[in-house]
Amino acid sequence: METDMQRRSAVVDLGSNSVRLVVFEGVSRNPLPIFNEKAVLRLGRGLTTTGRLNEEGVGMAMEVLSRFHAIARAMQADPFEVLATAAVRDATNGPAFVEMLRQSMPGVPVRILSGKEEADHSAIGVMCGIPRAEGLVADVGGGSLELIHMTETGRHDATTLPLGMIRLADRSEGDLDVAKLLTDQDIDSVEWLSRVKGQPLYLVGGAFRALARLQIARTQYPLNIVHYYTLDVQEAREMTGWLQNSSRRSLERLPGAPRKRLDDIPFAAVVLRRLMKKIQPSKIVFCVDGLREGWYMMNVAPSYLPQDPMESVARDMCARFGRSNTLPEILWTWTGCIKPDETPEEQHLRRIACWLSDIGSHDHPEYRAEQTYLRILRVQGAGFDHRARVWLSLALAVRYSVDMSAPALMPSFTLLSEAERRDATACGLALRLAYSLSGGAGSLLEGTSLAWEGQELVLTLTSARVAVKGESVRRGLERLGQTLGVQTRFEVELSV
C-alpha cells in the first residue's frame, strides 16, 4: 500500500513566459520537488497587439506538454493538474488552446485561473515558505502582476494588473520611461494599496527572483539563496536604480547571471521601484515559493499548513540522520537555562537546534562539523530565514567541535552580530556538554541538571550511572562558562 511519503503529485504552471512541470514527493509541511523543469515559450508575446497567443509558442507548448504529461504519468503523479494563467485567460484563442490540451492529455484537468485565484495560490505559497508572513504579496509573471494583502486573519483584496514582463515591454514598446508611466497608472488604480503602506513587501515570480540573484552576485552576499533574501528600502532603491541603468553586457558578467531573464530585468526593476514608491514598505523579502507550492498546499497537504515548517524539517532530519527521536525534547528542557532572558524567537532557534543536534552522527569524524554546518546552511526551503540558517549552522558546528577559524563559517561571521554569534556558540557548547555527559542516551542526561545558582552556572550530578569525572566534561563546562562570561561549578548530589 502506498504511504504518504511515497505518494507523488504534479502541477504544470503554464504562464505567459514559460511553462514548468514540478513533481512533488510525499505529503508533508515542506513540499519536496523531485523533478522540476522549465521551458521558455513566450506564449504572451504580442498578445497586447494581436489579442492572441503567440502561434510559435502554442506549437512549442503542445510538444512540451506532451512530454510533461508522459513524465508525470510515468512517475505515477496523482493529482496531476495544469494551471494556465494570464496569457491563456486573456487571449481570444485561449479556450481553443485549452481544448487542444485536454484532447492531447485525456483525463488531466486543465484549469484557467482567474487573476484572483492566481493571487490566492501565490499567497498560500508564500505562507508555505514564510510562515506568519503579513503584508503585500506581489507575484510577477510574463502577462500579469498579482497583488494580494496577507494579514493575521487571512488573505484579502486580490487584484491582477497587466504588468507582467512581456506585456509591459509590449505596452511600452520597450521604452522604460513609458513603462514607468504605465506602471504608475495601473498601481494607482488599486485603491486598497493605501492599507498596506509601511508593511513588508513579499516578491514572488521569476523576474523578481532574477533581481535578487543579480544583487546577491553584485554585493558578494555570503549566501547564494534567494528564498528569504531581505533588503531594506534604501538597499532596494539603490538596486533598482542600478538595474535600470546597467547594460545587458555588464549584467552578463556577474557570476550566475540569469541570462534568459536579462531582457526582463529593467522592467522588473521598474515595477518594483514604482510599487515601493506607492506603499513605502518596511522591508522587501524575496520568496521562491509561489503558485506551485500554493497548489500543493491546497490540493495535497492542506492539513499540514498550520505546522511549523522549521520544526517539521528538523524532526525529519533527526529521523533520517540522528540516533534518537526522544533525546531532542530532553535536550530542550536541559538547555533551557542557558539564556535566562531568551526571546521567543531565540527559544524557537534553540528548540530547532536540539532536533538537529545529532544529524552528523553518521558522518566521517574529520568532516562531521563542517558537513553539519553546510547541511543546515543549505537546507532546501523549510521556512528557514537567512539568520536562522547561519545561527543554527554555527550552533551545530560548535556542537561538533568545529575549528572556529574554518573558512566555511564565513556566512555566520558575516551575517550575525557578535551577540548572536555568542548565543549560537553557547547553544552549541551546551549541546556538546550534554552529549559528553550522556553519549546521546536520554536516560543518562536525565541524571544531571544545568542551572543557575546566583551568578554561577552549576552542573549537578544526581545519578551514579553517569560517569562525569571525565576531562571532556569539565572542559566542556568551563568553555560554556567562558563563552557566557560567568563562573561555573560542578556538584555531585547522589540519591541513596
Side-chain angles (χ1 to χ4, degrees):
M1 181 178 294
E2 183 186 66
T3 67
D4 274 354
M5 291 312 298
Q6 295 170 323
R7 180 182 172 189
R8 289 172 176 172
S9 54
V11 62
V12 170
D13 178 359
L14 182 57
S16 304
N17 180 61
S18 62
V19 59
R20 184 186 296 270
L21 167 67
V22 180
V23 180
F24 299 101
E25 185 162 81
V27 182
S28 68
R29 176 56 182 81
N30 298 295
L32 177 63
I34 58 170
F35 183 89
N36 188 329
E37 185 175 304
K38 180 182 78 170
V40 176
L41 305 178
R42 296 271 175 175
L43 274 175
R45 177 182 289 166
L47 179 64
T48 300
T49 54
T50 68
R52 296 175 58 82
L53 296 173
N54 180 278
E55 291 298 333
E56 182 181 357
V58 168
M60 292 172 59
M62 297 304 296
E63 294 180 8
V64 172
L65 266 294
S66 177
R67 177 171 176 272
F68 283 176
H69 181 216
I71 291 171
R73 286 298 182 232
M75 297 182 77
Q76 298 182 323
D78 184 21
F80 170 46
E81 188 170 8
V82 177
L83 305 180
T85 56
V88 177
R89 70 171 170 258
D90 293 341
T92 56
N93 59 338
F97 172 58
V98 168
E99 185 57 34
M100 289 170 57
L101 289 178
R102 287 174 176 154
Q103 290 180 11
S104 68
M105 298 185 296
V108 177
V110 181
R111 187 150 58 99
I112 302 176
L113 296 180
S114 69
K116 290 187 176 181
E117 287 175 325
E118 187 176 350
D120 197 50
H121 277 67
S122 296
I124 295 174
V126 171
M127 291 169 61
C128 174
I130 305 180
R132 297 176 296 280
E134 294 182 36
L136 178 66
V137 173
D139 182 2
V140 71
S144 62
L145 172 72
E146 274 65 50
L147 302 174
I148 187 167
H149 185 197
M150 291 177 57
T151 71
E152 187 177 4
T153 60
R155 306 178 300 281
H156 313 277
D157 304 313
T159 299
T160 186
L161 298 173
L163 292 175
M165 296 301 93
I166 294 176
R167 188 170 296 185
L168 182 57
D170 285 348
R171 291 172 66 200
S172 64
E173 297 182 345
D175 188 319
L176 285 185
D177 289 330
V178 175
K180 292 174 187 178
L181 292 174
L182 292 171
T183 303
D184 280 340
Q185 290 171 8
D186 289 344
I187 289 175
D188 286 342
S189 70
V190 185
E191 296 180 359
W192 59 265
L193 281 179
S194 60
R195 296 199 292 275
V196 301
K197 192 171 183 178
Q199 297 182 26
L201 172 59
Y202 298 93
L203 300 180
V204 178
F208 283 152
R209 289 195 299 271
L211 303 186
R213 289 194 180 95
L214 291 168
Q215 180 74 351
I216 286 171
R218 174 202 182 203
T219 60
Q220 297 182 322
Y221 183 76
L223 270 182
N224 189 20
I225 295 175
V226 170
H227 188 58
Y228 252 124
Y229 180 56
T230 302
L231 300 173
D232 62 33
V233 173
Q234 186 56 41
E235 289 171 328
R237 280 201 196 100
E238 194 277 335
M239 175 191 73
T240 54
W242 161 64
L243 289 169
Q244 289 178 61
N245 293 298
S246 294
S247 67
R248 181 188 175 97
R249 180 171 295 180
S250 66
L251 296 179
E252 285 177 338
R253 295 194 189 104
L254 291 169
R259 293 175 179 271
K260 292 182 179 179
R261 289 284 184 183
L262 291 183
D263 290 338
D264 298 335
I265 293 300
F267 296 97
V270 163
V271 171
L272 175 55
R273 185 71 169 263
R274 312 319 287 180
L275 199 53
M276 287 193 302
K277 180 182 177 182
K278 179 70 175 182
I279 71 166
Q280 299 176 31
S282 58
K283 60 181 178 180
I284 292 87
V285 185
F286 293 87
C287 180
V288 301
D289 292 338
L291 182 145
R292 296 176 293 274
E293 290 73 22
W295 174 89
Y296 174 90
M297 297 312 297
M298 293 170 72
N299 294 275
V300 180
S303 64
Y304 287 77
L305 190 58
Q307 293 181 4
D308 174 12
M310 287 176 63
E311 184 161 337
S312 177
V313 78
R315 285 174 178 265
D316 179 61
M317 292 177 74
C318 175
R320 286 188 290 136
F321 302 121
R323 293 169 292 175
S324 169
N325 60 4
T326 57
L327 183 61
E329 290 293 348
I330 299 171
L331 289 170
W332 162 246
T333 301
W334 196 86
T335 59
C337 70
I338 299 172
K339 189 175 183 182
D341 58 347
E342 196 174 41
T343 66
E345 181 186 8
E346 292 167 338
Q347 192 177 75
H348 184 229
L349 285 174
R350 180 172 60 82
R351 180 172 181 81
I352 302 304
C354 290
W355 278 99
L356 294 171
S357 62
D358 202 36
I359 65 170
S361 61
H362 298 96
D363 292 328
H364 192 290
E366 294 296 329
Y367 299 99
R368 186 172 288 150
E370 185 171 330
Q371 177 70 9
T372 298
Y373 183 89
L374 294 176
R375 183 177 285 143
I376 297 169
L377 187 74
R378 298 170 179 173
V379 66
Q380 169 76 6
F384 284 78
D385 65 25
H386 289 198
R387 178 178 172 272
R389 288 175 184 273
V390 295
W391 194 100
L392 289 165
S393 297
L394 180 60
L396 274 301
V398 169
R399 175 264 189 268
Y400 285 118
S401 305
V402 73
D403 178 355
M404 295 297 279
S405 65
L409 304 186
M410 184 270 291
S412 294
F413 280 83
T414 303
L415 298 180
L416 294 176
S417 67
E418 183 177 351
E420 289 170 333
R421 292 197 301 271
R422 183 190 64 240
D423 289 346
T425 301
C427 180
L429 288 171
L431 290 169
R432 189 197 308 178
L433 177 59
Y435 278 93
S436 295
L437 284 165
S438 66
S443 59
L444 295 185
L445 191 60
E446 289 176 327
T448 71
S449 67
L450 191 64
W452 291 99
E453 291 186 11
Q455 297 300 309
E456 281 189 313
L457 187 62
V458 181
L459 174 62
T460 303
L461 165 67
T462 59
S463 170
R465 292 187 302 158
V466 187
V468 297
K469 294 184 179 180
E471 187 62 24
S472 64
V473 171
R474 294 187 183 278
R475 284 200 311 268
L477 181 60
E478 290 172 1
R479 287 172 182 157
L480 178 57
Q482 290 168 1
T483 297
L484 294 173
V486 299
Q487 294 295 314
T488 58
R489 192 172 77 250
F490 173 68
E491 289 189 351
V492 177
E493 295 180 359
L494 300 181
S495 56
V496 179

